[in-house]
Each structure stands twice: as structure tokens, then as C-alpha cells.
Amino acid sequence: MSIRILRRDHPHRAIALITPSHALIFRHSVSTTNRSFHSLQTPGPAGANKCMVEFSVLESVDLKDYKPLSPLPVQGTLGLITINNDVFICVVSGDTRVATVRPGEIVQRIDAVEFHCLNNPDYDDIPSDEITPYLTDTSPQDGFEYAHQSRKEPVFEHPCSALKKLLSGGTFYYSVEFDLTNRLQDRSIDASTFDIDNLDDGFLWNSYMIRPLVEFRSRLGDQEREALDLSRILTSAIRGFVQTITIPASTSPFKTSRAGLPSTITLISRLSCRRAGTRFNARGIDDDGNVANFVESETVLWSPSGLCFSYAQIRGSVPIFWEQATGLLPNQQKIQVTRSPEATQPAFDKHFETLEVKYGAIHVLNLLSESKPGEVDLTNRYRYHVRHSSLNTVDDKDNSLDHQLLRETEYDFHAETKGSNGYEAASAIRHLIQRSAGSFGYFLSDHGDNSTNSGSADIYHHRRSIVVLQQEGIFRTNCLDCLDRTNLIQTIVSQMAVESFLSSRSADATPDFLMRHSTLWADNGDVNDPSLMHRTDNSTNSAQSLSKIYAGTGALKSSFTRHGKMSIAGAIADARKSATRMYINNFADKGRQNTIDVLLGRLMGQTPVHLFDPINDFVTSELKKRAVEYSSTKPIHILVGTFNLNGQTNDLKEDLSSWLCPNVGASQRQPEIVAVGFQEIVELSPQQIMSTDPARRQMWENAVRKTLNENAVEAGSEEYVLLRSGQLVGAALAIFVRSSVLRDIKNVEGSVKKTGMSGMAGNKGAVAIRMDYASTQICFVTAHLAAGFSNYDERNRDYRTINHGLRFQRNRSIDDHDTVIWLGDFNYRIGLSDERVRRLIHMGDLDSLYENDQLNLQMVAGLTFPFYSEARITFMPTYKYDNGTDNYDTSEKARIPAWCDRILRKGSNLRQINYNTAPLRFSDHRPVYATFQCTVSLVNEQLKERLSQDIYEHRRREVRGSIANTKTSDTDDEGLVGYDPIAPGLPPASSDRRKWWLDNGLPARSIVEAPGADFGPNPHRSSNPFTPIEEPDWVRRPKTLQAGTKAAYTPVMSTPGLTQKHAKVDIRKIPPPYNGPERGKISATDPSRSPMPQIPNQPSARLNQFSASTIEGDVSRKRAPPIPKKPVQLSSKGSRHSSVGGEGKDYLEPQYVDDYMTAPSSMHATPRFIPEISNFPPPVRRPAPTNERRSLTGDREPVVSHLKNTLSKLGDPRGGPPLPPRGRSTTERKEGLIDGNDEDMQNMASWEPLRPG
């Protein structure tokens, strides 16, 4: 899929990758453009250059301001990188198809890349520097063909020129159709599946550059993530060698009915980037267990019939701490071991423990010399660490080499090939590794027909890939550089595996086929052999060899690898390569090493790039919080059965219904999933335990499927299909599902783990299959643990080995699942004598037997299967019977009966319903079955998508211009966009442009409502709302107005309808006016105003607090409670100190209100003390204050007495608090408010009178 790359310069710079359906737009955030972010050449504190990113449907993107940045389409992006404080995006601009592993799995070689700056347009007009990976006599030494031929260097060097040369050198490969970083065994068998999350970072060379995009992808919704994957924009690149050679049907060893179609053989070599570097800059191991020049090489054979073979082996530097200095004389560089054995062992163990988890048992082929002093030292240390490795810890009872996960073969390559036979003598290594080669096996998959006979299930009539065998160990080969000698020996090992596979299918490798295989491995080691320069096919012009990557030249001895004999021309070529290596290692490797470190992000001060999407990041976060809105659960049913067959095959036609279709409840009879585990599916002879024969397993799978489908047809239900199966010698596991549930199942994976002979043999071990059923992760494990009455400790170790060492993709373990079911022959016995056990069985005393069951006791002690549960056992021991009878063992060994065959469960969503045995007598074990009800989580994708769109649109309106494709001007607060609140319930951070109290930049709005239909604005109010005035906001409008008269308005003291969105509006507090001696009188100078009662000074503002209704937020919020009514005791009957306006309305004297305000707070809490003021007549404007002041003593005492009496009537005998005495006269008040003779007032001597302005 071609991808256009566009740019926009104004109002800000943006770069867009455009596919036919979507657009991925980048924009550098100006808030990060400062000197705190250091360049690659300027060490300093680490920071991140932040860039905004947006992935949208093409129709929703405005591209009219964009113009092409590159004249030709690109093939995808390798990621982003920061150099000299500028952010560059790297795109693949040229590639060549070099391999097709399987149909639909195409590999491209990267021939050219381009770097485009996100924040600086200065690099757009630099003349293009054409890079050629193929040196000629006229090519510059650095590989550049510059546009300005008159100069050796361009006018203005691009800061990414070194990276451009490295990535365009023909050693990098990518695929947008499958996972190229994992071997066939470790990835999905479905060729159409490509999961970016499963990429192996150890072989992903652009992991540092692509990581920001992968993290951005992980935050997208499911549909957006799928759309991004289908766009093929994100590119994963490996470094090494990939090539496919076609095998004509006439010379192909595969016999297929599809006549005329060729087969293919592919070699994929993946160079690790963990400890990447050049020859003398990267040696040995590091503290994380990574070694230099670590390569995984995989040989893949594919047949048109669907049969696919894969075999992997690895190489790597000697895993100890050692160095080697450069020198001008070949083979004279001194080797120096830099750490003691004790300091080296932890890193050594870490390296091999990692390999054991991924590959299984390891056989080391050490090709170092036994005569060269430096190599002898390395060999001695290597031997020491292998002997002390944690993988070789064995019991004191058994020190056999067969019980080692790590073994070593020392083979002095130079000494063995010195004779007249030359390198042909290297084939003698075959007999030294034959046993391990047979036990390791290989990976094999085939197409199986899963069609059903049910008319409703015709849509599932298709061929599915089925795993037949899995590789269970690996060879690790090394010499000093892991180049020349290693490549030749690995060719021999690969040929041994291919021949073993062909012989198992009664086929022979033709000479032409073997020649093509050798040519492929020779190209892997060296494509620069002069004898091949005349060839023009891709095998010659393909990637540079592994030797070229590490040492700078092609591999030595490649002439023998290719032709099977050493020629004079080959010897001369080796001499030339040695001289070239000396020059490159001494003068060019330092710069190459620095460029590699830049690419991998390992330089000090190198700043990463952080991508953020203010919309999608928020949407993903909100969807997780609201998962309950689109998620639900439903129950499914599972049947699990385990059977130790004791190697029997004569009873395949026996009816298995009593075991697989037992008489259980109606809801359990047609379960959605049936998991069947077998043990001893073949006789465990010394020859059988080292290899796996799938024929027996396939026979039993057919028998199981036939039984299930016959019962399904009889019950009128749909038929079952084989989902996946796996086998480890005698142990096998098969998962069958109803055809209708296939649409709910995904991510099906399988894995095996050997425990026999400490992992070298497959007579004991486990097979596991996992799946995602809707949104619930389910794992099934069938295991055959160590035998022997007293070997419960070894059985416990087998469990720990399986539980820890068995891994699925993404390094997922057994415990990383919601539901786990173990089934199999666990071999735990009953710790009683044979006589007592048989007597208790005869009595039916199962409780006494279970109390002495080893598995029960070990689980109670926490020594095995922690957190697992087992249903109550209600059946007799399942082992050991005489074949064909119900009699326990009557042989001379007289084995004690025991519950060897068990089923355990773990998971809060799992409920066991049945647990029983079936009466099948053709084995010495009885089959066991269990039924479960499992609650799985379901996601309503349509509802989730609608919710996602709603959140998306709402968020888009909020952030407005703060997206990658916006046309608004940049601001310095973009970094705040998308940030979450610091605590739940709080708004996100604000900035100069975004204020949460103004609804993220939207204009502030207020909604004012009248308290009633007959109210209107007070015409006497000032237009300035902040002018101090006593006028109310609203007045009651009379229904009829007399002609020639002014309307009499009834004031409203509160404003209940006033609201302001997102803001709290406080009622305006008006300073109290000055009260002169004429207080309480009505002004006669203004007849238009109605009389008003006397209002005290201080309480006016305080009264508003009780009477005003303040409403916050939106108008839809609840209004404030109504003003409390005046108590009956405070009505007009209580006190008639003043009658205002002749209206007959009696009001409490202002002194009462004044004293109420000074009352204790406990009195304020009771609303009965709040006087009613809603019936006040309209207020009058007071006359201007005069200089005369009324006496403070006046009639205050009667008022206070009256207040106390009133409080007593209300049930409060305390009354109000006593008031301090005041001055006696105006004259004294003028001199001071304090009566000097009154000692109680001395504390107020410093007070001054408050006079109105």
C-alpha cells in the first residue's frame, strides 16, 4: 500500500502520512521547544520532545494547505528520533521484495530511507543524497552518491546522514503482513494475523524510534487500532538476512497432489539489538545477560499442500566478560577476561535462563581452538560456568548428564579440519550431536479440514493450520567472532534437521535440493564472494551478510559452504577479506558503533519523543472508566476430561460417550468447550521419549471428535470442530469447540514444557493451550508429572518448572489468565500401605483416603498448586487397574491404588458442577471428567463505539484548536491539553487559553430569571450592578395601572433566579447607611416612594445572607430552600413599638434584630429566631446623615428586656448575651467611647468609632 507524505508550513508546521482511507498527522508542540532538551551531542538531563499526533478518517481531514514533501510514495514509517533538538520522522522510501515465507507472508528489504523534520523546514531543501549499498570502483568509500559531483561532501550535511546510510545499507528487512521478529513457532499459525504488541524487542531494531507510535496505538480504541494496523503505516524492521529460494516441483522432496506448484525454502537470520555493535566494540556479555552478535537463524520449508517445517538455532559470543583490542596484525589481538568467575556467574546464569524459557533445553557447540592461548582461556571459563550453571542443578541421587538442561560439546574446528579432507571433516560433528538433535525435534504445522456437517455451520467449512510438532530445544553455536566457523557448522545442523523431517515422511533430499539449501546458508554468511558476481538474482544482490554487519566483510570459508569444497579462488578471497577486516576494524568501526548507538537510543543525553493525542487519549481513559456501560457477562459450559491411555491403540473404536458425553444435567450436555488431555498416548520406550510422533494423537483426536459429533447430531445440536491441539511425546491436549462460538474465540496459542530428565526428555512435562473467549482469558494445561510413590518433592518441582517456564506469546505465563484448569496424571499417591488402602476402598471410606492423599497434603502445606481448588472426590482411586477389569493391580509389583488422575481449577469466575470417572476399562487408569460453568465477559462493540464517538465529539469541542491538524496559532500551553485532573472530581489543569471555570474557552454566560410571572426588573436599579444601592433586583408589577399615576412596585429582597454557569454568585453586600436621629421617619420630600420600616445598621447585610437565595451552576440545579417563616411568638401580637405607614403591619424593633445578631451561634442554628421580612413594604431612601447622633443609652434597656422576655417565651431561659455599657453623654462620646469609670470597658480603649463615608 503506497503512502503519501505531505507537509504544511503555516500557521504551523505539520507532516501527514496519507493512505487511501486514513491520515496520520504529526505536529511538534511549541511548548517543548526550549533548550532544556539536549541534543545527541550535548549530554544533559533527559527530557522528552512532545509532539501532537492525530489519526483520523481521510474525509474528516482538511488537506488543502498541504503539499507533497516527497515526490514518490513511501512504504511506512520506522518511527521518530531526536537529533540536535530537532524531531525527525523516518520513512521507508525504497524497498525490494526478497522472500515469501508462506502465502501472504512477504518480506521486503529496505533499500532507502528519508528523514523529515517535524519542527524545522531548513532540511526540506537539502539536495537528496543518493545512497547505494553496493560499492563500485567509482563510489565514495562511505557509500554516498552525492548530487554535487564536484564536491566530496554536500553543501549542507543532513544531521541524519549517518543513520540514513546505516538503514539504507541493505541489511534491514520488514514485513507489514506478519511478525518478522518471532520465529514461526512463537507466532500465530494464522498467516493473516499480525499483532504489533507481540513484537520481540530483542530483534526489533527500530524499537526505540517506533516505541512512541506503538504507545500511541495502544491508547486508541479497538476500531481505530485495527484501522491503523490495516493502513500499514507502522513498520517493524529487523537486521540480518532474509531470502527465499524456490524449489521446482521436479526436484522438491515434497510429494503433493497439487502437481506443478513449487515449494520454497527460506532462511531468516535475526540479529539481536540488545548488545549490538561492531567486532571489537561489542564482545562477550553484559550484566543483563545479553551477548554480542547474538543471531537467531530459522530455516523454513513450505509445501503447496500446506505442510510447513521450521527449525531454529542460535549463535552468540562466549557469554563471559571479555574484551579484545584492535591490532594491525591479523589473529594477534590479545584476549582479556575482565571479571572473576564469581562475578561472572550471575550474568551467565541470566543469559541461559532466558534462553531456556524461550527455547527449552540448550546444547552448546563451542568451536574455539584448544591451542591458541586466548581461546583456551575462554574455553576453560566457559566450561566452569556451564558446570556451575543454575540449569544443571541436579539431585544428589542422580548426577547423570541426561538430567541437565544445559550441556556443552567442545569441538576444535581448526584442529578437526586440518587434515587432507579439509572442511569436509567438519561433518564429523554429526555423531556428537545426534542425540540432542533427535530430542529437540522441529516445528511442523499442517492444514486440517474443520468443516462440519451441520447446515447452519457451513460458514466454517475451511482449512485451518494445525500445529503438529513443536521444537523443544536448541543448539547454541559459537567460535570467537561467531562468523565463519559458526556459519559452516550451523549449515550442517540445519541440514540434519531437514533430513530428519524428510525421513519421517519417507522422503529423501535430492542433490539439487541440498545444493539450494547450502547456497542459502552461504548467502547468509557472505554474498560478496567474487565467484558469484556474475549472478543477477536476488540471492546475490540481497542483504549483506551477518559477517558484513559485524566484521565489515563477508564470511571466510564461504566457498566451501557454497560448493562443498575449497578452491584456490576461495582461499584468495579469504585473504582479501582478512585484510579488509583489519582496515575496517581499526579505522571505521568507531563511527559505525556511534551510529548504531544513536539508532538504538543508547547515547547519553539522547532525548526520546513523546506523542500525545488530546482527543483519543481522553476517549480511551473515559472508556475504561465507563466499561460497565458497554460490558456484560454470560455463562458458558466447559467439559474437561483426562485419560492415561497406557499406550493403548486397539480400542480406538470403543464408545467414549460415557467419558465425553456423560449423563449430567441438561445444561452441561452440550458444552461450548471440550478440553481433552491424554497421557502415555504412546509407549514411553527409550526411543520414544526423545521424539514426538503425531500419528497416535491424530488418531485419538478423530475418535474424540467422532464421539462428540455423533452425540451432537443425536441431540439435534451443532457439531464440534478442533480448535487446536498440542503434543509432547506422550502427553497431548486437544480443544474442541462448538462451531457457533468460533466467532467469540481469538488469540489461540499453544506451548509445551519438558520436565523428564530435567527437561531433556519428553516422557514427562506439560502441554498448554490458551485462548481469549470474548474478553475472558482461559488456559488449559495437561501435565504428566514424575512417577514414584515417594517422589512427591520431584512432582512439586515439576509443577513449579511448568508454571514458571511454560510461556506463550508476549511472555504470558499460566498465571496471567482469568481462568486456569489443570488436568492430567499428576501421579500423587495415597500415603498408606497397600493393604490398608484396599481395605478402606472396600469399606467405601473415601474421606480417610483423601486425608492421606499426597496432593491434598502438599496443597494444604502450600508446596504445590497454590490458590488452586479441587472438587470433593466421590469416586474410587483411578490407578492402578488390571487392564479390562475393575480389579486393582494384582501383579507382583502390587502398586498401591491412588487418585493419580486429577482436575484442578483456579478463577473466581469458575464454578465446578461435576467431578467423576467413566467406566472405560482398556487402560490401567480410569478416565476422569469434570464440568464447569464459566462466566465470561462480553463487550457490546456497537454500544462501545457509539459511546466512543460521543466522548470523541464532546472532547473535540472542548480542546477545539489543540489538535495536530488545527489551523489556530500555537500557544505555549499545549502541553496541558489532555492532562487528567490531579484528583477525582477536580477539573483538569488550566492555562492562559483554557480555563475550566469558563468552560474551556467558551464565553461565560449567566441566566437571570424572575422569581415569578408578575415580577419584573426594578427600574430604579442602577445599570452598574456594582453600585452600592439598597434597591432590590426585582419588583412586583401591579396587574392594573391608574392613568396619570406612577406604578407602585413591590420590591423583592432576594434574587432566586440569578445563576451563572460554573461560578458561584455571592449576594451583593451593601454598606449600612448612617442612621441619624430621624431614624424610623418617612421622608415627605419624595412622595413617589413608599414608606419602609426602620432597618438597623449592621443586620441589613447579615439579613441578606438568610433571605437571599444563591443558586450555583446551571439553572437545572436545585433552588435554595425558602425563607423560614416568623414564629408565632414574634408576630404583631408580641410587640407594637412602631407602626409604619399606617398599614397596620407591626414589625419587631430594630434592637431585637441587633441583639439577635450578637446571640451565640447555637441560637442561630434554629430557624425560629429568623424574623420574617418578606412582607416589608417598599423601602425608602434615607435622608442625608447629619452630624447629630442619638444617644447610645436612649431606650436600649427596654428593648433588651423585651428581647429577653421573648426568648423566655420561646423556651430559651438564657436570653441574649449582656451588652457592654456605653458612654453616658454625647460629650463623653466625643472624647471617647469608653467610660473611664467602667472597668469592664477598659479592653475597648483602643477602639475608634466607625463613621460612614
Side-chain angles (χ1 to χ4, degrees):
M1 180 184 295
S2 62
I3 301 172
R4 294 181 296 151
I5 181 167
L6 310 178
R7 83 166 189 258
R8 185 183 64 188
D9 296 325
H10 300 288
H12 43 67
R13 183 174 174 84
I15 292 180
L17 298 177
I18 308 298
T19 70
S21 60
H22 288 77
L24 183 64
I25 304 174
F26 301 90
R27 176 163 68 93
H28 187 260
S29 179
V30 296
S31 60
T32 61
T33 306
N34 53 65
R35 291 296 100 188
S36 63
F37 300 103
H38 293 259
S39 66
L40 296 180
Q41 287 74 20
T42 308
N49 276 290
K50 292 195 289 185
C51 297
M52 302 183 76
V53 62
E54 178 184 357
F55 181 69
S56 304
V57 179
L58 187 59
E59 289 77 8
S60 64
V61 179
D62 184 7
L63 298 176
K64 65 179 182 179
D65 294 333
Y66 286 83
K67 58 183 179 181
L69 187 58
S70 176
L72 298 177
V74 299
Q75 308 305 317
T77 176
L78 295 176
L80 301 107
I81 194 168
T82 303
I83 297 181
N84 294 336
N85 207 43
D86 291 325
V87 179
F88 293 87
I89 180 172
C90 178
V91 294
V92 178
S93 57
D95 59 6
T96 301
R97 178 172 175 173
V98 294
T100 301
V101 182
R102 294 185 298 181
E105 295 183 349
I106 298 173
V107 181
Q108 308 283 138
R109 185 184 69 236
I110 298 176
D111 294 331
V113 298
E114 295 177 356
F115 286 86
H116 300 289
C117 188
L118 294 182
N119 59 303
N120 192 345
D122 295 344
Y123 305 109
D124 293 345
D125 299 326
I126 297 180
S128 177
D129 298 332
E130 308 243 347
I131 301 178
T132 172
Y134 321 110
L135 297 180
T136 64
D137 295 338
T138 60
S139 299
Q141 184 62 38
D142 59 3
F144 280 85
E145 297 286 355
Y146 296 114
H148 301 276
Q149 295 296 330
S150 59
R151 306 189 55 164
K152 289 284 185 174
E153 296 180 357
V155 175
F156 184 70
E157 184 179 5
H158 197 287
C160 301
S161 59
L163 284 174
K164 193 173 182 180
K165 175 184 176 182
L166 176 66
L167 293 170
S168 304
T171 61
F172 289 88
Y173 301 82
Y174 78 94
S175 176
V176 296
E177 296 173 333
F178 75 104
D179 180 7
L180 191 54
T181 65
N182 280 295
R183 59 176 177 161
L184 194 60
Q185 178 169 317
D186 293 335
R187 57 186 173 91
S188 172
I189 59 176
D190 185 359
S192 63
T193 302
F194 181 25
D195 190 355
I196 294 179
D197 295 327
N198 192 39
L199 298 177
D200 188 341
D201 287 343
F203 298 117
L204 184 64
W205 272 72
N206 63 322
S207 61
Y208 174 75
M209 294 197 300
I210 202 68
R211 186 178 301 122
L213 283 167
V214 173
E215 293 174 352
F216 162 72
R217 172 188 173 276
S218 66
R219 300 192 298 268
L220 294 175
D222 293 339
Q223 292 191 359
E224 289 82 2
R225 186 183 304 120
E226 182 180 0
L228 181 59
D229 293 344
L230 293 176
S231 69
R232 311 292 176 88
I233 293 178
L234 305 188
T235 302
S236 56
I238 68 167
R239 196 180 191 195
F241 175 80
V242 184
Q243 185 176 309
T244 294
I245 292 181
T246 301
I247 306 173
S250 58
T251 60
S252 174
F254 298 107
K255 305 304 178 184
T256 175
S257 59
R258 305 177 69 179
L261 295 179
S263 304
T264 59
I265 178 171
T266 303
L267 179 60
I268 305 174
S269 289
R270 306 172 180 92
L271 175 63
S272 173
C273 59
R274 298 290 191 193
R275 187 167 168 77
T278 54
R279 184 183 183 191
F280 290 103
N281 290 289
R283 290 290 204 189
I285 196 172
D286 63 14
D287 289 292
D288 294 325
N290 304 310
V291 297
N293 202 20
F294 182 83
V295 182
E296 177 189 86
S297 297
E298 179 183 16
T299 305
V300 180
L301 296 177
W302 178 83
S303 167
S305 64
L307 196 66
C308 190
F309 160 91
S310 167
Y311 187 80
Q313 49 185 320
I314 56 178
R315 68 175 76 180
S317 184
V318 177
I320 63 176
F321 293 94
W322 62 284
E323 298 174 355
Q324 189 176 22
T326 59
L328 296 178
L329 296 179
N331 301 322
Q332 297 299 316
Q333 296 86 354
K334 184 178 180 181
I335 296 173
Q336 179 182 2
V337 179
T338 58
R339 289 198 193 180
S340 65
E342 296 77 13
T344 302
Q345 193 69 46
F348 183 93
D349 290 342
K350 188 179 297 185
H351 172 70
F352 281 101
E353 286 171 0
T354 302
L355 296 182
E356 190 271 333
V357 168
K358 184 173 183 179
Y359 300 106
I362 307 145
H363 191 143
V364 172
L365 301 180
N366 182 12
L367 308 180
L368 293 176
S369 172
E370 297 179 356
S371 58
K372 297 181 180 179
E375 296 189 19
V376 171
D377 294 341
L378 293 179
T379 297
N380 293 335
R381 286 291 298 273
Y382 206 163
R383 187 186 308 119
Y384 170 87
H385 291 298
V386 169
R387 188 167 61 249
H388 292 83
S389 171
S390 58
L391 298 182
N392 287 338
T393 302
V394 296
D395 296 335
D396 295 335
K397 302 177 183 179
D398 191 353
N399 293 321
S400 171
L401 292 179
D402 289 337
H403 285 64
Q404 295 180 349
L405 286 172
L406 175 63
R407 63 174 61 180
E408 180 190 21
T409 296
E410 296 176 2
Y411 186 81
D412 186 347
F413 182 89
H414 289 310
E416 297 292 337
T417 58
K418 265 187 178 180
S420 58
N421 292 330
Y423 295 145
E424 295 179 8
S427 299
I429 199 174
R430 285 172 172 261
H431 74 276
L432 299 177
I433 61 175
Q434 185 64 48
R435 185 176 182 185
S436 292
S439 65
F440 291 164
Y442 44 81
F443 175 83
L444 184 65
S445 67
D446 196 359
H447 280 172
D449 191 358
N450 268 331
S451 60
T452 64
N453 296 326
S454 175
S456 61
D458 286 343
I459 58 174
Y460 301 109
H461 184 92
H462 65 284
R463 295 167 61 84
R464 298 171 56 89
S465 292
I466 299 176
V467 176
V468 179
L469 295 174
Q470 288 187 305
Q471 186 175 341
E472 298 153 3
I474 201 162
F475 285 102
R476 185 193 189 279
T477 310
N478 71 270
C479 52
L480 191 65
D481 298 324
C482 301
L483 297 176
D484 316 318
R485 292 171 277 182
T486 297
N487 198 69
L488 196 152
I489 294 299
Q490 284 196 328
T491 304
I492 296 173
V493 174
S494 175
Q495 183 173 328
M496 290 177 61
V498 171
E499 291 173 348
S500 174
F501 159 63
L502 294 177
S503 64
S504 68
R505 306 191 69 83
S506 302
D508 295 324
T510 62
D512 180 76
F513 172 81
L514 294 179
M515 178 60 67
R516 293 174 187 272
H517 173 270
S518 299
T519 299
L520 196 60
W521 274 93
D523 290 341
N524 177 66
D526 178 17
V527 298
N528 292 321
D529 194 300
S531 62
L532 295 178
M533 288 303 177
H534 65 279
R535 294 175 56 183
T536 59
D537 55 81
N538 283 338
S539 65
T540 301
N541 296 325
S542 64
Q544 305 297 307
S545 65
L546 300 176
S547 178
K548 179 76 173 179
I549 296 172
Y550 189 59
T553 71
L556 307 181
K557 309 172 183 64
S558 60
S559 177
F560 174 81
T561 305
R562 193 180 307 276
H563 304 292
K565 60 182 180 180
M566 195 65 182
S567 62
I568 297 178
I572 297 175
D574 287 351
R576 178 180 59 83
K577 293 173 185 177
S578 298
T580 305
R581 282 185 184 182
M582 178 198 66
Y583 173 82
I584 293 176
N585 297 156
N586 283 274
F587 303 107
D589 277 356
K590 185 176 181 180
R592 294 169 59 207
Q593 182 69 51
N594 186 74
T595 304
I596 292 173
D597 291 338
V598 171
L599 176 65
L600 300 176
R602 301 193 306 199
L603 286 188
M604 289 294 297
Q606 190 168 352
T607 59
V609 178
H610 173 68
L611 294 178
F612 67 98
D613 182 353
I615 299 180
N616 281 305
D617 292 356
F618 178 82
V619 170
T620 302
S621 176
E622 285 298 306
L623 284 176
K624 291 180 180 178
K625 297 176 184 177
R626 301 171 63 175
V628 67
E629 299 182 27
Y630 54 83
S631 300
S632 61
T633 61
K634 80 167 184 178
I636 64 169
H637 298 92
I638 303 174
L639 185 142
V640 177
T642 178
F643 196 1
N644 187 315
L645 297 173
N646 193 26
Q648 300 296 321
T649 58
N650 298 328
D651 299 279
L652 282 170
K653 296 183 180 180
E654 184 168 339
D655 185 13
L656 305 178
S657 298
S658 60
W659 174 42
L660 302 175
C661 305
N663 186 17
V664 294
S667 63
Q668 307 293 311
R669 291 180 183 173
Q670 295 296 322
E672 283 80 357
I673 301 176
V674 176
V676 181
F678 294 107
Q679 302 82 43
E680 297 187 24
I681 201 169
V682 295
E683 294 184 11
L684 298 181
S685 62
Q687 293 79 19
Q688 290 279 6
I689 65 174
M690 303 304 292
S691 61
T692 299
D693 181 10
R696 292 282 186 94
R697 186 198 75 219
Q698 293 171 350
M699 294 167 60
W700 280 106
E701 287 173 358
N702 293 333
V704 171
R705 185 180 177 187
K706 177 182 177 182
T707 301
L708 292 174
N709 286 338
E710 286 179 352
N711 282 268
V713 171
E714 182 179 346
S717 178
E718 58 188 308
E719 297 184 1
Y720 287 85
V721 297
L722 176 63
L723 181 66
R724 176 157 181 165
S725 62
Q727 182 179 358
L728 175 65
V729 186
L733 177 63
I735 306 296
F736 298 86
V737 298
R738 288 193 342 214
S739 56
S740 62
V741 304
L742 281 174
R743 61 175 62 91
D744 297 325
I745 297 176
K746 58 184 179 180
N747 298 328
V748 182
E749 303 170 17
S751 183
V752 298
K753 183 66 180 177
K754 291 181 180 179
T755 59
M757 294 187 180
S758 296
M760 292 297 294
N763 59 317
K764 297 294 187 290
V767 182
I769 296 176
R770 56 95 49 206
M771 70 183 72
D772 291 342
Y773 194 110
S775 298
T776 300
Q777 299 179 347
I778 304 177
C779 180
F780 298 96
V781 185
T782 185
H784 195 186
L785 305 185
F789 179 84
S790 59
N791 290 341
Y792 52 85
D793 284 337
E794 187 173 352
R795 289 188 277 274
N796 295 345
R797 282 196 301 270
D798 286 350
Y799 161 76
R800 291 192 294 268
T801 299
I802 296 169
N803 191 65
H804 170 73
L806 192 147
R807 299 283 168 163
F808 300 99
Q809 295 181 22
R810 308 185 197 177
N811 201 32
R812 187 187 284 114
S813 67
I814 296 175
D815 290 334
D816 295 332
H817 293 79
D818 304 314
T819 302
V820 183
I821 298 178
W822 283 68
L823 58 146
D825 182 0
F826 299 159
N827 262 322
Y828 285 93
R829 310 301 172 91
I830 297 175
L832 298 174
S833 65
D834 179 60
E835 180 182 357
R836 186 176 180 186
V837 169
R838 294 174 186 258
R839 184 168 62 251
L840 291 174
I841 292 175
H842 181 73
M843 297 170 56
D845 189 357
L846 301 183
D847 291 340
S848 297
L849 293 174
Y850 189 71
E851 289 174 358
N852 294 275
D853 177 70
Q854 291 178 351
L855 178 58
N856 175 40
L857 296 174
Q858 295 299 306
M859 290 177 65
V860 170
L863 300 178
T864 189
F865 291 100
F867 309 109
Y868 283 87
S869 302
E870 182 181 29
R872 182 178 180 180
I873 296 180
T874 59
F875 49 87
M876 294 299 176
T878 60
Y879 173 84
K880 176 182 193 284
Y881 291 88
D882 293 335
N883 288 353
T885 70
D886 289 329
N887 302 323
Y888 287 103
D889 188 16
T890 58
S891 65
E892 295 181 359
K893 294 184 178 180
R895 294 179 177 84
I896 302 175
W899 286 298
C900 291
D901 308 280
R902 312 289 274 270
I903 299 175
L904 307 179
R905 71 183 188 276
K906 181 174 72 171
S908 59
N909 61 334
L910 198 62
R911 183 170 69 91
Q912 188 164 349
I913 300 176
N914 295 286
Y915 194 24
N916 211 335
T917 60
L920 298 179
R921 298 177 177 84
F922 57 84
S923 173
D924 58 353
H925 289 252
R926 289 291 181 268
V928 177
Y929 68 87
T931 62
F932 301 89
Q933 178 177 297
C934 180
T935 303
V936 297
S937 299
L938 301 176
V939 175
N940 189 328
E941 295 296 340
Q942 292 78 14
L943 182 59
K944 181 180 179 182
E945 179 62 20
R946 288 198 300 269
L947 181 60
S948 175
Q949 290 297 329
D950 293 342
I951 300 174
Y952 181 91
E953 295 299 331
H954 176 74
R955 184 62 173 173
R956 191 178 183 92
R957 289 192 300 268
E958 284 185 339
V959 301
R960 301 181 73 190
S962 299
I963 57 177
N965 196 38
T966 183
K967 294 185 179 181
T968 59
S969 300
D970 285 330
T971 59
D972 292 336
D973 59 343
E974 289 173 353
L976 296 176
V977 177
Y979 279 28
D980 292 332
I982 61 175
L986 295 180
S990 303
S991 64
D992 292 340
R993 191 174 62 176
R994 297 176 61 255
K995 302 175 179 61
W996 57 265
W997 60 88
L998 293 183
D999 198 11
N1000 292 321
L1002 298 179
R1005 296 179 299 171
S1006 62
I1007 301 175
V1008 180
E1009 293 182 353
D1014 55 343
F1015 287 88
N1018 187 351
H1020 301 292
R1021 289 281 307 175
S1022 172
S1023 59
N1024 184 359
F1026 299 100
T1027 301
I1029 191 172
E1030 296 178 354
E1031 292 289 347
D1033 294 328
W1034 304 95
V1035 293
R1036 190 185 301 274
R1037 293 179 299 206
K1039 296 182 179 179
T1040 59
L1041 297 177
Q1042 297 179 0
T1045 63
K1046 274 193 174 182
Y1049 292 93
T1050 303
V1052 179
M1053 302 302 295
S1054 62
T1055 312
L1058 180 62
T1059 62
Q1060 181 173 343
K1061 192 174 183 180
H1062 303 301
K1064 181 177 180 180
V1065 181
D1066 292 331
I1067 297 299
R1068 185 173 63 258
K1069 299 179 180 180
I1070 304 175
Y1074 171 71
N1075 294 317
E1078 299 298 321
R1079 179 181 180 186
K1081 295 183 178 181
I1082 302 174
S1083 174
T1085 61
D1086 191 356
S1088 65
R1089 298 185 181 273
S1090 301
M1092 64 173 292
Q1094 297 179 357
I1095 299 179
N1097 297 347
Q1098 296 178 353
S1100 62
R1102 190 72 64 95
L1103 280 173
N1104 286 336
Q1105 297 179 3
F1106 291 93
S1107 62
S1109 300
T1110 303
I1111 300 178
E1112 304 178 33
D1114 203 39
V1115 294
S1116 61
R1117 299 189 182 181
K1118 185 178 179 181
R1119 293 180 179 274
I1123 300 173
K1125 299 296 184 180
K1126 180 172 68 177
V1128 178
Q1129 293 85 345
L1130 299 182
S1131 64
S1132 59
K1133 298 179 181 180
S1135 176
R1136 295 180 178 271
H1137 287 275
S1138 62
S1139 179
V1140 183
E1143 298 291 331
K1145 300 288 184 179
D1146 296 333
Y1147 296 92
L1148 187 64
E1149 283 292 324
Q1151 287 82 354
Y1152 173 81
V1153 181
D1154 195 10
D1155 289 346
Y1156 169 76
M1157 292 304 168
T1158 62
S1161 59
S1162 62
M1163 297 174 61
H1164 296 175
T1166 307
R1168 60 181 178 170
F1169 293 105
I1170 302 177
E1172 182 179 0
I1173 63 173
S1174 61
N1175 293 326
F1176 280 2
V1180 298
R1181 187 174 297 279
R1182 299 183 181 279
T1186 63
N1187 292 333
E1188 297 183 8
R1189 295 178 180 268
R1190 58 181 288 189
S1191 173
L1192 296 178
T1193 57
D1195 57 352
R1196 186 175 185 82
E1197 291 300 324
V1199 175
V1200 173
S1201 176
H1202 168 71
L1203 175 63
K1204 292 181 178 180
N1205 293 336
T1206 303
L1207 295 175
S1208 298
K1209 293 178 181 180
L1210 295 175
D1212 191 345
R1214 296 177 299 174
L1219 298 176
R1222 304 298 180 98
R1224 293 184 174 84
S1225 65
T1226 305
T1227 305
E1228 292 174 341
R1229 184 172 67 252
K1230 292 181 179 179
E1231 297 175 355
L1233 290 175
I1234 306 303
D1235 186 355
N1237 298 328
D1238 193 343
E1239 296 179 356
D1240 294 335
M1241 299 298 294
Q1242 293 300 321
N1243 58 345
M1244 299 182 65
S1246 61
W1247 283 37
E1248 295 182 2
L1250 178 63
R1251 296 180 176 86

